[in-house]
Amino acid sequence: MNNNNLFNLYCDIIDFTESTMDNYMFVIDFENDIYHISRSALDRFGLSDNHIFDFVNTLEQVIYPSDYQAIRNEMTELKTSSRAIHNMQYRWVSQNGSPIWINCRGRCIQKNGKNIIMVGCLNEIGAKQKADNITGLLRLGDSLTLPQEISDSYFRGFLIRINVDDLRGINAKIGTDFGDLAISQTSECILSELESDQYVFHINGDEFLILSMNHGDYNDARDLFIRIRNDVEAKIQQKGFLVVYSISAGIVTSSDLGDYSFDSLMKASEFALSSAKSLGKNTYTRFNIEMYKESLTKELLANQLRSSIKNDFKGFEVYYQILTSPENKIIGAEALMRYHLPNGSPVSPADFIPVLEDTGLIIPAGKWILETAISDCLKVCKYNPDFMVSVNISFMQVLKTNMAKTVKRALEKYGLPAKNLMVELTESGFLESDLHYQKTWSRLKSYGIKMALDDFGTGYSNFHYLNELKPNVIKTDRSFTVAATKDEYEHVLLEHVASLAHTLHCGMCIEGVETEAELELAKALEPTYIQGYYFGKPEPLSSLLKRFS
Ligand code: C2E
Ligand code: CA
Ligand code: CA
């Protein structure tokens, strides 16, 4: 057979066997500079043809730029030397531009000691492992691994995403062998309960996905999960409690979702499982579209907040609400965070503050408002040197950062005396055991900063804290003020709080005074400060300054 015929024969074999493999086979004709590769490489790497002439130059478009010269050298060497083996790891570039590591191996056919044809194969090194040697199940990495008949048919059943609770803890505390045992046992229990048209996949470390494509409603799914859970418990007993663990599940049925694309089903099952996990271990939850939409909205808001913060706090603003004496003299102001979306619409603090706290973004945002408030306070101090700015600090900031140091540094940076600053913390942070919280509190107090216990009287007030923390000020919430004007018991309670504050020589700020009646009630309690719409709504610095000039 002449060289041309031999090359064409290999091309035909590649075309014929291409659909039987995940790898890309190739053959090179060194004499005529032709390269032929499996057609599946076209989609993966954005090649325009799988039969390539002048191949060393043409392949430059798909080989990762910094690896190209090495391939050029290799090909020149193979053409001119008698080495018959090619074995290299380098990168190609995928259709969407990302580098793909491949292992490329080839063997040359020689004539008169010279390489004339090379036959070989390209393997993607990072390709997903689709089977799992612990459970023997298929892995579900992408839709390609769904059995064809499933991905093509109509979804009329349910999905259950099962999670082995705290697998990481088991691996860490008892050992990975026991973690593997928990996984393989769970897999056995699932398999023993499935009907012939129900499938299970091992998705990742601790998760399984059961797919009932054609039948079953929520009750069937729940009953199936409960049977599996009972099996798991029985197995744990049977094996003498070698490893004790529980499983949780998120359930999605075909009536829960309008969109049955592979992606949205995966996301829905993920969401249902994470809702179950948030309830604790050993439980199950059904997918709830309203909650899901809410979480997507929060996620969107979190992304917007994050990019605003990166973008020098664009969209963030500080408003100030004045604190007055009962005689209506301005003593200070509380700094309150405001946020506008890029399209200009305002977001309520009740919506964005919890998102900042959940995402940890309250740490940079809290530092920003602290510094802004301190530097703004200096501007007001020009008119009134005793003016006091009050800044809210979240539980999260105290827990995750060294707030005492942050506040001290901020004061030093701008040169504001500590007496001009008040810090507001809510009592919900003070679990008796939380020493760090109490330490931060006392350290801040020792710097001469005024410490206010915010939202006092809402939730579970623990009067012991008053003695332990000795706040400079307690702030009672608007809900307390409103309730006291309507309900005698609440009124008496508020009076007791006031007299307790007086006895402990601790200041009191009554918040949320809106009406004449509320003002009368507040004044009778002889508080140190009153704060509320009656005296002023939160306003930008410019209008606060106008009050003095
Ligand atoms: P808060 O610390 O209790 O702040 C007082 C809230 O009551 C403010 O709401 C204020 O506008 C509102 N308010 C004051 N007087 C009246 C009144 O007479 N009537 C009514 N209806 N409301 C009044 P805002 O600004 O919406 O803030 C809500 C919450 O968001 C704050 O409650 C605080 O917990 C949080 N927040 C605001 N800014 C920050 C901040 O910079 N850091 C942290 N960690 N939390 C903040
Ligand atoms: Ca406050
Ligand atoms: Ca408050």
Side-chain angles (χ1 to χ4, degrees):
M1 201 183 283
N2 71 28
N3 299 354
N4 269 351
N5 288 348
L6 187 61
F7 177 73
N8 287 335
L9 176 65
Y10 277 116
C11 291
D12 288 346
I13 294 173
I14 289 174
D15 293 345
F16 184 70
T17 54
E18 184 245 325
S19 63
T20 66
M21 59 184 78
D22 291 336
N23 308 324
Y24 315 99
M25 279 188 70
F26 66 84
V27 53
I28 295 174
D29 173 349
F30 282 121
E31 274 181 340
N32 299 303
D33 265 351
I34 312 174
Y35 185 92
H36 189 92
I37 187 167
S38 309
R39 289 196 70 83
S40 52
L42 296 186
D43 282 346
R44 182 66 170 142
F45 301 109
L47 282 164
S48 47
D49 196 350
N50 70 323
H51 199 77
I52 300 165
F53 298 93
D54 185 20
F55 79 92
V56 179
N57 287 322
T58 311
L59 286 182
E60 188 172 1
Q61 51 173 303
V62 290
I63 292 173
Y64 194 66
S66 54
D67 295 350
Y68 178 68
Q69 192 55 46
I71 293 303
R72 237 193 135 83
N73 298 345
E74 169 77 356
M75 289 304 142
T76 311
E77 198 183 324
L78 286 171
K79 258 187 191 180
T80 50
S81 77
S82 59
R83 170 161 62 86
I85 299 292
H86 161 71
N87 185 357
M88 270 180 84
Q89 294 192 342
Y90 62 101
R91 286 160 291 183
W92 280 41
V93 178
S94 75
Q95 176 97 279
N96 62 21
S98 48
I100 307 288
W101 274 104
I102 55 149
N103 194 358
C104 182
R105 275 179 285 185
R107 247 196 109 151
C108 297
I109 296 164
Q110 301 185 323
K111 213 171 212 176
N112 306 326
K114 207 175 143 214
N115 294 327
I116 49 164
I117 287 175
M118 178 160 79
V119 187
C121 190
L122 249 74
N123 296 286
E124 283 190 31
I125 296 172
K128 280 203 181 88
Q129 216 186 329
K130 287 175 184 157
D132 167 23
N133 297 332
I134 299 176
T135 59
L137 296 178
L138 281 178
R139 276 189 187 277
L140 188 63
D142 50 59
S143 54
L144 291 176
T145 54
L146 270 176
Q148 193 61 32
E149 70 271 20
I150 296 177
S151 51
D152 284 353
S153 66
Y154 176 67
F155 178 48
R156 275 181 241 99
F158 57 77
L159 270 178
I160 311 178
R161 193 183 271 250
I162 293 183
N163 168 72
V164 174
D165 296 326
D166 194 27
L167 182 67
R168 202 197 289 208
I170 298 172
N171 283 334
K173 283 181 219 135
I174 333 183
T176 47
D177 285 355
F178 291 93
D180 288 353
L181 185 66
I183 289 292
S184 64
Q185 275 183 193
T186 308
S187 155
E188 281 166 36
C189 296
I190 295 173
L191 281 169
S192 71
E193 293 293 348
L194 293 190
E195 292 171 30
S196 62
D197 63 344
Q198 295 174 326
Y199 298 83
V200 59
F201 301 90
H202 187 189
I203 313 182
N204 51 42
D206 55 355
E207 281 179 23
F208 296 90
L209 193 83
I210 297 173
L211 182 62
S212 184
M213 200 67 198
N214 301 313
H215 66 92
D217 58 14
Y218 172 69
N219 291 342
D220 298 321
R222 183 201 53 206
D223 293 348
L224 171 59
F225 174 68
I226 290 173
R227 286 201 301 277
I228 293 169
R229 198 167 67 174
N230 292 341
D231 291 352
V232 166
E233 278 164 16
K235 210 160 210 134
I236 292 172
Q237 278 193 31
Q238 197 187 358
K239 295 256 167 95
F241 300 95
L242 207 55
V243 46
V244 179
Y245 64 97
S246 57
I247 58 175
S248 297
I251 298 171
V252 187
T253 75
S254 57
S255 61
D256 291 340
L257 201 72
D259 169 11
Y260 303 135
S261 70
F262 177 79
D263 254 14
S264 44
L265 283 171
M266 285 305 109
K267 286 198 177 117
S269 68
E270 229 168 84
F271 181 73
L273 177 60
S274 71
S275 313
K277 283 198 226 170
S278 68
L279 295 174
K281 294 172 188 173
N282 201 15
T283 183
Y284 54 90
T285 296
R286 182 178 185 169
F287 176 74
N288 177 315
I289 193 131
E290 300 310 321
M291 277 169 67
Y292 182 56
K293 282 185 183 156
E294 206 175 286
S295 91
L296 290 183
T297 312
K298 274 194 183 162
E299 208 174 294
L300 193 71
L301 179 58
N303 289 338
Q304 276 156 339
L305 289 163
R306 192 171 292 117
S307 88
S308 289
I309 289 175
K310 262 197 200 152
N311 204 349
D312 207 16
F313 295 90
K314 196 163 186 281
F316 282 90
E317 242 182 308
V318 187
Y319 269 44
Y320 295 93
Q321 186 180 30
I322 52 168
L323 270 70
T324 61
S325 69
E327 297 75 37
N328 199 4
K329 182 172 176 276
I330 299 174
I331 313 248
E334 177 174 4
L336 294 160
M337 216 184 274
R338 294 292 177 264
Y339 180 67
H340 286 83
L341 293 174
N343 68 12
S345 44
V347 186
S348 156
D351 292 330
F352 77 81
I353 299 276
V355 174
L356 288 178
E357 288 175 337
D358 288 350
T359 52
L361 291 170
I362 192 71
I363 291 167
K367 186 161 180 252
W368 171 82
I369 192 171
L370 173 73
E371 296 202 354
T372 311
I374 288 177
S375 108
D376 286 350
C377 182
L378 283 168
K379 293 173 193 156
V380 186
C381 281
K382 287 194 183 127
Y383 301 96
N384 174 4
D386 293 326
F387 184 82
M388 174 187 79
V389 76
S390 192
V391 177
N392 292 284
I393 289 181
S394 280
F395 180 62
M396 179 73 167
Q397 291 169 271
V398 178
L399 217 60
K400 298 269 166 82
T401 66
N402 186 341
M403 258 342 266
K405 199 160 152 193
T406 306
V407 174
K408 191 162 186 254
R409 285 207 175 146
L411 285 174
E412 285 163 2
K413 180 171 168 188
Y414 294 92
L416 183 77
K419 69 166 176 57
N420 292 83
L421 179 67
M422 180 150 93
V423 161
E424 300 188 15
L425 281 159
T426 60
E427 58 175 340
S428 57
F430 293 98
L431 297 168
E432 238 155 326
S433 57
D434 198 349
L435 259 176
H436 174 64
Y437 217 94
Q438 299 203 6
K439 259 191 197 152
T440 305
W441 175 281
S442 344
R443 199 159 291 164
L444 285 167
K445 200 161 173 249
S446 74
Y447 298 151
I449 294 163
K450 289 191 193 67
M451 297 302 293
L453 202 50
D454 202 0
D455 296 350
F456 191 81
T458 61
Y460 306 91
S461 294
N462 188 334
F463 291 89
H464 287 295
Y465 292 142
L466 288 185
N467 195 32
E468 273 168 43
L469 300 170
K470 301 196 171 47
N472 301 95
V473 177
I474 56 175
K475 295 189 81 178
T476 55
D477 190 67
R478 165 159 172 81
S479 56
F480 215 159
T481 316
V482 174
T485 54
K486 295 190 177 137
D487 184 293
E488 192 44 35
Y489 174 79
E490 294 285 340
H491 190 192
V492 173
L493 199 61
L494 193 55
E495 278 176 337
H496 280 301
V497 170
S499 79
L500 190 65
H502 297 320
T503 313
L504 294 172
H505 303 292
C506 150
M508 183 183 190
C509 175
I510 298 186
E511 278 193 82
V513 171
E514 275 186 18
T515 63
E516 201 78 49
E518 286 161 5
L519 180 65
E520 284 319 304
L521 179 139
K523 275 185 173 172
L525 300 169
E526 296 174 25
T528 329
Y529 317 102
I530 300 179
Q531 181 183 356
Y533 290 178
Y534 186 87
F535 293 112
K537 288 196 169 178
E539 60 197 333
L541 175 71
S542 54
S543 63
L544 174 67
L545 286 171
K546 277 189 199 135
R547 290 179 182 273
F548 296 94
S549 56

